[in-house]
């Protein structure tokens, strides 16, 4: 049951310590002003994430908090109680476990590496540390493009020699060059991380000579799967894995193709190979699957790699036993969420429905970014660094999608570009978007951590690979409550391999929410003040024994009280689709 926001309800919650954490400054030398809601880092100053949560006592909970106005990932501890006079709002049950987590991270695009290497050496290292070191977010997933994307400075492939079906001229020299710095940046990330980083590869387009159009934009393969051009494509992918292995970089997985579906009304074009679910099925079972099983038997194959709304219809590889043998997971993107028209939208129910049909296939969100729309729609286009309300809104949208994807069986979440410049590039196609970190491309002296960066940290830092989602259910009294506030509190919970319970909450209300949480295994209660427009991560130790409790709750896959909303009119739906498909 939700209670009034009064201090009397919180008498037994004591904030006992603030974690040691380097200070966050919002002052920008470039802009000669404070940038509200943004941490500005330079060679001598940058904020870190406290690690004191690793030393909690049995009677303590750690709390990390990022409000719209205030400190980022600020750490404190709470005392918890073993009894309570009132019923809890949220019930946590570690005996009810769901999907295992693969990890969280971002993409090693050319643009990311190019921007990092525009910076002074000491600033470069701070960016690497911010994402991958123990004092940063500790990313554990990395998406690596095979050859160029729109976030490259030019269009290129690894083998432009026409009809080289044996890949005798295959080369990743550009990845090793100062033109992209791609491999160098990737190795620096691997070098500072104390967690294993699972890398997966994705191709935007094959060499033009493999396509009917002899180009990389909206292209289609020559011939049909099983024939020489499709076999050459599979070999092209295998050579990429070989070339990186020779550089001591190992891949965990690869996707068959980035966004193979030609979207209605899309007006921007960049590298893209289009095929149907049936063509993908045949490519997997005739070419890619057998070759990877022979050359890289441990490599996982991820299919689809496209928008969530079309996931359930992309099923040819799952109704063909021979193709399904090679498929480990599906990749999904968020660009048709349409939450700017209906905040209940997001196609989260498609993830739950897919898991119900294919519980042995993991679901991994493989790309998302903000600033991909047009001005006047949603949060608009490109970076909005100096617009505090927009940068916060974008962070809150990240939190909503991450939490609800995870609550509906996603095994992690992958951001798009980790680092862009303040224009949203470089991007040869002028498809300028936003990223959690922007750099001062003019002086190379400072970079900007936006709210999206800290939202990623609220999950990536504290939910390592091998964690499992656990039940986080509404109590009977909360289900029957007439309040609307909980409808806009996104939430999900996990149990880590170190037996820590992790609860992530995002309050999209402007009003503060007071909650009481109960851990049924530990027999403890925790009262919590969740400020308006704030994100919190709570952590505490879990006992090794398992118990369960009968509770009244919605489906365990539900992250909030929303059911998918209906659009008010066909016109609104058309506008939403048209604008969101500008990618």
């Amino acid at each position: 049951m939700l209670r009034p926001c009064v201090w009397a309800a919180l008498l037994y919650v004591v904030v006992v310590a603030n974690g040691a954490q380097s200070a966050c400054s919002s002052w920008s030398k470039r802009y000669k002003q404070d940038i509200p809601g943004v941490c500005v880092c330079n060679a001598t100053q940058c904020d870190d994430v406290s690690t004191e949560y690793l030393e909690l006592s049995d009677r303590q909970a750690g709390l990390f908090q990022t409000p719209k106005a205030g400190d980022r990932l600020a750490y404190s501890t709470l005392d918890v109680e073993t009894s309570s006079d009132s019923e809890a709002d949220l019930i946590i049950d570690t005996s009810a476990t769901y999907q295992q987590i693969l990890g969280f991270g971002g993409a090693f695009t050319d643009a990311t590496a190019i921007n990092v290497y525009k910076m002074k050496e000491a600033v470069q290292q701070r960016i690497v540390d911010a994402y991958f070191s123990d004092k940063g977010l500790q990313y554990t997933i990395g998406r690596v493009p095979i050859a160029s994307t729109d976030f490259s400075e030019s269009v290129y492939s690894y083998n432009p020699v026409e009809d080289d079906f044996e890949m005798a001229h295959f080369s990743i020299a550009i990845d090793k060059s100062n033109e992209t710095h791609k491999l160098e940046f990737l190795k620096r990330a691997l070098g500072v991380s104390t967690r294993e980083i699972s890398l997966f590869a994705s191709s935007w387009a094959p060499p033009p000579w493999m396509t009917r159009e002899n180009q990389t934009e909206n292209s289609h393969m020559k011939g049909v799967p099983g024939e020489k051009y499709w076999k050459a494509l599979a070999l092209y992918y295998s050579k990429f894995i070989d070339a990186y292995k020779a550089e001591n970089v190992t891949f965990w997985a690869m996707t068959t193709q980035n966004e193979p579906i030609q979207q209605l009304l899309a007006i921007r074009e960049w590298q893209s190979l289009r095929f149907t679910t049936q063509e993908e099925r045949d490519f997997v079972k005739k070419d890619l699957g057998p070759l990877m099983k022979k050359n890289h038997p441990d490599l996982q194959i991820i299919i689809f790699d496209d928008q969530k709304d079309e996931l359930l219809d992309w099923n040819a590889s799952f109704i063909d036993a021979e193709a399904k043998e090679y498929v480990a997971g599906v990749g999904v993107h968020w660009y048709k969420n349409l939450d700017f028209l209906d905040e209940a939208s997001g196609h989260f129910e498609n993830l739950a429905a897919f898991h119900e049909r294919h519980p042995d296939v993991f679901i991994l969100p493989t790309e998302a970014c903000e600033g991909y729309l047009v001005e006047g729609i949603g949060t608009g286009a490109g970076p909005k660094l100096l617009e505090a309300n927009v940068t916060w809104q974008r962070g809150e949208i990240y939190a909503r999608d991450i939490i609800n994807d995870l609550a509906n069986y996603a095994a992690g979440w992958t951001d798009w570009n980790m680092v862009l410049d303040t224009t949203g590039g470089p991007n040869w196609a002028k498809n300028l978007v936003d990223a959690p970190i922007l750099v001062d491309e003019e002086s190379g002296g400072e970079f900007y951590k936006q709210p999206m960066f800290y939202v990623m940290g609220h999950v990536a830092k504290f939910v390592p690979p091998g964690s499992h989602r656990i039940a986080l259910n509404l109590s009977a009294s909360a289900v029957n409550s007439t309040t609307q506030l909980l409808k806009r509190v996104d939430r999900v919970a996990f149990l880590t391999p170190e037996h820590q319970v992790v609860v992530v909450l995002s309050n999209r209300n402007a009003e503060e929410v007071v909650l009481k949480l109960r851990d049924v295994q530990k027999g403890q209660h925790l009262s919590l003040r969740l400020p308006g427009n704030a994100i919190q991560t709570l952590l505490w130790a879990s006992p090794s024994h398992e118990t369960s409790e009968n509770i009244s709750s919605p489906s365990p896959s539900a992250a909030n009280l929303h059911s998918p909303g209906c659009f008010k009119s066909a016109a609104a739906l058309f506008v939403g689709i048209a604008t969101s498909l500008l990618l």
Side-chain angles (χ1 to χ4, degrees):
M1 179 174 60
L2 214 64
R3 283 159 293 283
C5 302
V6 294
W7 284 102
L10 303 168
L11 289 177
Y12 61 86
V13 179
V14 181
V15 178
V16 296
N18 285 322
Q21 179 182 13
S22 300
C24 166
S25 171
S26 295
W27 176 258
S28 168
K29 183 177 180 180
R30 172 181 173 179
Y31 293 101
K32 296 180 173 57
Q33 67 175 69
D34 283 315
I35 306 178
V38 172
C39 283
V40 181
C41 297
N42 55 42
T44 59
Q45 177 176 291
C46 200
D47 58 320
D48 300 329
V49 184
S50 172
T51 58
E52 292 187 27
Y53 71 97
L54 298 172
E55 301 174 357
L56 291 167
S57 73
D58 288 342
R59 298 296 301 275
Q60 288 181 315
L63 171 64
F64 286 87
Q65 179 169 284
T66 300
K68 181 177 181 180
D71 293 336
R72 284 9 194 161
L73 282 171
Y75 180 68
S76 60
T77 58
L78 306 176
D79 287 341
V80 295
E81 288 292 311
T82 56
S83 62
S84 175
D85 295 331
S86 57
E87 188 174 358
D89 302 295
L90 299 177
I91 309 295
I92 296 153
D93 185 355
T94 58
S95 70
T97 61
Y98 305 101
Q99 78 276 18
Q100 182 170 307
I101 298 303
L102 295 170
F104 303 88
F108 289 89
T109 59
D110 288 357
T112 290
I114 288 167
N115 283 315
V116 170
Y117 281 86
K118 288 177 182 176
M119 311 305 286
K120 298 172 183 177
E121 177 65 30
V123 181
Q124 292 176 22
Q125 193 57 45
R126 284 198 178 273
I127 296 174
V128 175
D129 289 343
Y131 274 122
F132 297 101
S133 76
D134 289 355
K135 58 187 177 182
L137 304 191
Q138 294 186 276
Y139 272 9
T140 53
I141 287 280
R143 189 187 194 200
V144 182
I146 299 175
S148 65
T149 73
D150 51 318
F151 281 92
S152 299
E153 292 186 322
S154 63
V155 179
Y156 62 86
S157 80
Y158 295 133
N159 189 359
V161 178
E162 188 168 355
D163 292 343
D164 181 8
F165 294 102
E166 301 302 319
M167 295 296 139
H169 297 89
F170 184 95
S171 172
I172 61 165
I174 191 169
D175 291 7
K176 296 189 281 187
S177 73
N178 290 340
E179 184 177 345
T180 67
H181 295 282
K182 179 174 160 183
L183 190 55
E184 183 180 357
F185 175 60
L186 175 53
K187 288 182 176 181
R188 286 178 74 169
L190 295 171
V192 303
S193 178
T194 58
R195 292 178 176 174
E196 183 176 351
I197 300 175
S198 295
L199 300 175
F200 69 95
S202 296
S203 173
W204 268 243
W209 57 267
M210 295 185 188
T211 71
R212 298 200 299 261
E213 299 84 359
N214 196 34
Q215 66 181 33
T216 59
E217 297 85 19
N218 279 322
S219 61
H220 300 79
M221 289 292 293
K222 293 177 180 176
V224 296
E227 294 182 350
K228 62 181 180 179
Y229 286 100
W230 290 81
K231 289 192 180 300
L233 179 61
L235 183 58
Y236 181 76
Y237 290 169
S238 182
K239 290 291 186 181
F240 175 77
I241 304 300
D242 286 336
Y244 268 70
K245 187 175 182 180
E247 297 291 331
N248 295 315
V249 176
T250 302
F251 281 87
W252 153 72
M254 70 168 298
T255 70
T256 49
Q257 168 63 38
N258 176 69
E259 296 184 349
I261 301 173
Q262 172 68 59
Q263 299 291 345
L264 179 68
L265 302 179
I267 62 173
R268 296 174 183 162
E269 292 186 356
W270 47 81
Q271 299 95 312
S272 52
L273 175 67
R274 308 302 187 186
F275 51 62
T276 66
T277 180
Q278 292 81 14
E279 287 174 312
E280 181 186 57
R281 172 200 63 201
D282 293 342
F283 176 49
V284 167
K285 74 177 182 179
K286 294 180 179 181
D287 306 307
L288 185 65
L291 186 65
M292 290 302 177
K293 185 175 182 179
K294 175 185 175 182
N295 293 350
H296 307 286
D298 295 327
L299 190 78
Q300 307 284 296
I301 293 178
I302 301 170
I303 67 168
F304 188 53
D305 205 11
D306 216 315
Q307 313 308 321
K308 283 185 281 186
D309 69 315
E310 303 194 57
L311 173 62
L312 298 179
D313 295 327
W314 195 266
N315 61 1
S317 293
F318 297 113
I319 57 180
D320 184 295
E322 190 177 353
K324 188 176 180 181
E325 174 188 345
Y326 297 110
V327 176
V330 292
V332 294
H333 297 188
W334 82 339
Y335 297 110
K336 290 166 72 176
N337 274 6
L338 304 184
D339 49 3
F340 55 88
L341 286 178
D342 180 355
E343 68 171 19
S345 177
H347 308 291
F348 307 117
E349 69 281 0
N350 282 6
L351 304 188
F354 179 88
H355 175 78
E356 184 72 20
R357 296 179 188 180
H358 309 289
D360 56 336
V361 179
F362 66 77
I363 304 167
L364 181 64
T366 48
E367 184 183 317
C369 72
E370 265 293 341
Y372 66 92
L373 294 167
V374 296
E375 292 303 330
I377 302 294
T379 64
K384 304 290 183 185
L385 180 62
L386 303 182
E387 299 179 34
N389 287 336
V390 177
T391 60
W392 177 259
Q393 185 181 359
R394 288 179 173 181
E396 206 165 66
I397 291 169
Y398 262 47
R400 176 181 176 272
D401 193 80
I402 294 168
I403 291 171
N404 285 279
D405 278 355
L406 292 168
N408 286 278
Y409 295 97
W413 206 85
T414 317
D415 195 15
W416 187 207
N417 297 279
M418 289 182 278
V419 184
L420 292 175
D421 64 27
T422 57
T423 71
N427 183 293
W428 73 265
K430 305 303 179 186
N431 178 36
L432 304 175
V433 300
D434 206 355
I437 286 180
L438 301 178
V439 299
D440 174 10
E441 70 278 10
E442 294 181 358
S443 73
E446 64 184 27
F447 64 94
Y448 315 100
K449 292 180 177 178
Q450 302 193 90
M452 291 179 289
F453 174 86
Y454 296 97
V455 169
M456 289 295 297
H458 272 277
V459 184
K461 178 74 174 180
F462 310 111
V463 186
S467 300
H468 285 82
R469 181 168 66 89
I470 56 176
L472 175 61
N473 294 308
L474 290 172
S475 67
S477 59
V479 169
N480 296 327
S481 173
T482 59
T483 182
Q484 297 297 305
L485 290 178
L486 271 176
K487 291 184 178 181
R488 304 189 80 242
V489 176
D490 302 304
R491 53 196 178 270
V492 68
F494 305 91
L495 183 65
T496 73
E498 293 75 29
H499 295 284
Q500 270 198 330
V501 173
V502 180
V503 179
V504 185
L505 305 168
S506 176
N507 182 12
R508 290 181 283 118
N509 299 287
E511 301 92 340
E512 181 184 70
V513 176
V514 177
L515 292 171
K516 183 168 287 186
L517 288 74
R518 182 183 180 197
D519 183 332
V520 296
Q521 268 69 48
K522 201 166 184 178
Q524 290 184 334
H525 295 75
L526 176 69
S527 286
L528 183 69
R529 296 174 67 242
L530 182 54
N533 298 116
I535 301 163
Q536 292 183 341
T537 298
L538 289 148
L539 311 98
W540 62 85
S542 172
S544 58
H545 66 276
E546 294 186 354
T547 61
S548 63
E549 179 178 88
N550 292 324
I551 50 180
S552 173
S553 70
S555 164
S557 67
N560 55 38
L561 291 177
H562 279 308
S563 59
C566 296
F567 291 104
K568 301 300 182 183
S569 66
L573 177 59
F574 177 82
V575 171
I577 293 175
T579 53
S580 66
L581 294 184
L582 291 175
L583 284 176

